[in-house]
Amino acid sequence: MDLFAPSVLPCVTQADNQNLTSGQKALLLWHFRLGISVSDVQQLMKGHTATLSDGSTQYFPPVIPAKPASAANCPLPPCPTCKISSARKKNPPSPTVGKKDDTKVDVLARE
C-alpha cells in the first residue's frame, strides 16, 4: 500500500450505490452542478401552468429534463455536503455545580 497515493472516496451518485434510486441520483447530480437546493432542482424538473392577465392559461415546460422521469417526483435524497455544512458545534455537558458546604471550608487550616 502506497502511503502517498491519492485516495478518492466514492461519490454517492455512482451507479453501484444501492442506497439511492436512479431519480435521486439524477437530482443530486443537478444539485452538485447548479449549487441550488435539491427541492429547487426538483421544481425545475416539473412543468408549470400559469394564469395570464387576460384569464387564459399557459403551460411552461420543465427547465431541466427529468431523466429518468422519476426524478421529478421521488423523495428528496440527503446531500452529504449540505448535511456537513449545516452542522453545528455541540458544547460538552457542563459540570454539575453543587451547593457549598460551609462545614468543610478551611478544614485543613483548622488542624
Side-chain angles (χ1 to χ4, degrees), residues 20-42:
L20 298 175
T21 64
S22 58
Q24 290 174 326
K25 291 176 189 176
L27 274 176
L28 281 176
L29 280 174
W30 279 105
H31 167 65
F32 295 156
R33 288 178 189 164
L34 300 176
I36 60 175
S37 71
V38 180
S39 59
D40 288 345
V41 171
Q42 200 170 42

Side-chain angles (χ1 to χ4, degrees), residues 3-22:
L3 294 176
F4 299 105
S7 62
V8 179
L9 298 175
C11 184
V12 294
T13 58
Q14 286 182 343
D16 59 349
N17 184 0
Q18 298 176 358
N19 296 323
L20 298 175
T21 64
S22 58

Side-chain angles (χ1 to χ4, degrees), residues 35-71:
I36 60 175
S37 71
V38 180
S39 59
D40 288 345
V41 171
Q42 200 170 42
Q43 285 297 319
L44 290 173
M45 290 183 170
K46 297 176 183 177
H48 300 282
T49 303
T51 304
L52 303 177
S53 59
D54 61 357
S56 63
T57 58
Q58 183 176 2
Y59 175 75
F60 294 99
V63 176
I64 300 172
K67 294 181 184 176
S70 64

